[in-house]
Amino acid sequence: QSWTVAPDFTHHAHSASLSAVAVNNRYVVTGSRDETIQIYDMKKKVEHGALLQHNGTITCLQFYGSAHLLSGAEDGLICIWNTKRWECLKSIKAHKGHVTSLSIHPSGKLALSVGTDKTLRTWNLVEGRSAFVKNLKQNAHIVKWSPDGERYLTVTTNKVDVYQLDTASVSGTITTEKRISSLRFITDSVLAIAGDDEMVRFYSCDSQKCLCEFKAHENRIKDIYSFEREGQHVLVTASSDGYIKMWSLDPNKMKETPSLLCEVNTKARLTCLAVWIDCASEMKENPDTAAAASQANEEEKSLIVKKSKVCGADTSDKTAKRKRKIILKKQKLEAPLQKKKKKQNSS
């Protein structure tokens, strides 16, 4: 099977460079130095609107399932969004400095965040409040839960600290030569790490030993992503050299160098990366997956904050700063008003 990469939907999203991107089964959201979050509906391949709650560069975005999005920014806020109406359910003053990274526990009940105030904070997402604060010796710029939720990682420059959830203590440390820009869990205990060089390295979280390393690009790697489709494990890498590359992995043979599936030169200076997979077409092929997904969605509705109202130039939109509100497509707003007018006229 040959793989190819071709542009499918391209949009000039922001007035400044992109700083974060996230995907769920329908939407792609992008955050930027222009302080906005743009929403794209991938089923319709259209721009859906913008979120203007933050006052500062958007530093991190993460979906939980199909109903919620968490965003963090340099204003120290974490915002929890409902993705049905795109309203802000809760805005939390999370850190005294910038929020640099956040990660949601697989259960959806907890989240971790790190910031420039040298703290690691645990959040109770059911109640939308702080649960625990841990002081760090240095500012961490990445935090991430493992897929099984049994451990989490913090990254400080070129050092990864592995924490066990049950003890909340460091069980091991991985140190690299260069600054780490991105990491990804391949399995519950194997990490892919990339940074300010051309190499991707796989590490064991248990032994903290390097299992394999290979040269992926000609320049530093900005972001990595992994996914599984039709039984095949794929690692995707994006570099400052403009190339996006896809690699075939075998999780049972992590000591073997991955094979290149395809590559594309975007001719852009890449800053972040995410992979959107068309779940609808996959579910048609696999009805068992569809059943599991619908059950997961039902469970998800009961989690995350009970409603209590609760990839350019470095320019910022002054109007956006003044008007901190959600802008959705014009027709989306006009439709209910027209219905209301019709009702009033008939009465």
Side-chain angles (χ1 to χ4, degrees):
Q1 184 185 4
S2 61
W3 289 59
T4 56
V5 182
D8 183 46
F9 172 73
T10 306
H11 194 268
H12 188 84
H14 297 272
S15 60
S17 58
L18 269 71
S19 50
V21 61
V23 297
N24 72 355
N25 60 353
R26 177 163 186 174
Y27 296 103
V28 169
V29 292
T30 58
S32 167
R33 293 179 182 275
D34 66 9
E35 308 180 356
T36 68
I37 299 168
Q38 298 287 343
I39 312 161
Y40 297 93
D41 186 329
M42 294 306 292
K43 289 185 179 176
K44 297 178 181 177
K45 298 289 194 301
V46 294
E47 183 184 4
H48 190 69
L51 308 176
L52 306 177
Q53 188 79 8
H54 289 287
N55 186 8
T57 297
I58 311 301
T59 53
C60 43
L61 296 164
Q62 189 181 348
F63 279 104
Y64 179 73
S66 59
H68 296 93
L69 170 73
L70 266 67
S71 62
E74 286 186 353
D75 56 8
L77 296 179
I78 289 177
C79 294
I80 302 171
W81 303 88
N82 175 301
T83 61
K84 304 300 178 191
R85 297 176 182 172
W86 289 106
E87 61 182 337
C88 184
L89 299 176
K90 194 167 182 70
S91 180
I92 304 166
K93 181 60 179 174
H95 291 270
K96 289 176 183 175
H98 305 164
V99 179
T100 51
S101 180
L102 62 84
S103 183
I104 305 169
H105 189 270
S107 68
K109 295 179 181 179
L110 290 175
L112 294 170
S113 68
V114 290
T116 55
D117 55 2
K118 295 182 182 177
T119 61
L120 166 66
R121 296 176 183 259
T122 308
W123 302 96
N124 180 331
L125 291 180
V126 178
E127 297 177 11
R129 61 176 179 82
S130 176
F132 184 72
V133 180
K134 180 179 176 61
N135 292 316
L136 304 174
K137 291 178 181 177
Q138 289 177 284
N139 289 327
H141 64 278
I142 300 174
V143 65
K144 194 174 288 288
W145 284 104
S146 63
D148 61 6
E150 294 297 313
R151 63 182 114 204
Y152 56 91
L153 315 170
T154 61
V155 181
T156 306
T157 314
N158 64 331
K159 188 178 74 171
V160 182
D161 285 327
V162 182
Y163 289 82
Q164 293 299 131
L165 177 61
D166 51 359
T167 61
S169 59
V170 177
S171 62
T173 300
I174 297 166
T175 306
T176 62
E177 287 185 15
K178 301 279 187 177
R179 184 182 185 275
I180 296 166
S181 60
S182 180
L183 52 76
R184 188 87 182 171
F185 276 97
I186 304 300
T187 68
D188 291 324
S189 61
V190 176
L191 270 178
I193 297 178
D196 286 355
D197 60 9
E198 308 86 20
M199 310 294 288
V200 173
R201 296 174 177 89
F202 298 122
Y203 283 89
S204 165
C205 287
D206 299 320
S207 66
Q208 294 87 52
K209 289 182 178 176
C210 183
L211 305 173
C212 172
E213 65 177 27
F214 67 98
K215 184 178 178 179
H217 290 270
E218 296 301 321
N219 208 324
R220 62 181 177 175
I221 298 166
K222 295 295 292 182
D223 209 351
I224 55 177
Y225 205 94
S226 66
F227 65 94
E228 184 183 348
R229 192 167 193 183
E230 296 171 2
Q232 184 164 21
H233 290 260
V234 179
L235 180 75
V236 189
T237 58
S239 169
S240 295
D241 63 13
Y243 276 88
I244 297 172
K245 296 187 181 184
M246 303 176 76
W247 309 84
S248 177
L249 288 177
D250 186 343
N252 300 316
K253 298 175 182 176
M254 293 310 298
K255 292 186 178 181
E256 293 183 7
T257 302
S259 57
L260 183 65
L261 291 169
C262 62
E263 62 180 41
V264 61
N265 186 0
T266 64
K267 296 179 182 175
R269 186 174 172 271
L270 302 174
T271 55
C272 47
L273 169 80
V275 176
W276 179 78
I277 296 172
D278 189 352
C279 297
S281 61
E282 282 207 331
M283 285 177 180
K284 285 175 189 174
E285 295 166 15
N286 191 344
D288 294 338
T289 309
S294 65
Q295 185 183 345
N297 284 340
E298 287 303 312
E299 291 171 1
E300 180 197 317
K301 287 175 186 174
S302 64
L303 303 176
I304 299 197
V305 184
K306 296 165 184 172
K307 188 176 177 185
S308 56
K309 276 297 169 188
V310 202
C311 281
D314 273 340
T315 56
S316 59
D317 190 339
K318 289 181 182 176
T319 310
K321 280 185 181 178
R322 288 196 298 269
K323 297 180 181 178
R324 298 291 156 192
K325 61 183 180 179
I326 302 165
I327 300 172
L328 289 173
K329 281 285 184 189
K330 202 173 180 183
Q331 61 266 31
K332 294 271 182 188
L333 296 171
E334 286 177 350
L337 291 173
Q338 287 169 354
K339 283 182 185 175
K340 201 173 182 181
K341 278 183 184 175
K342 280 183 184 176
K343 266 192 176 180
Q344 287 171 350
N345 292 338
S346 61
S347 62

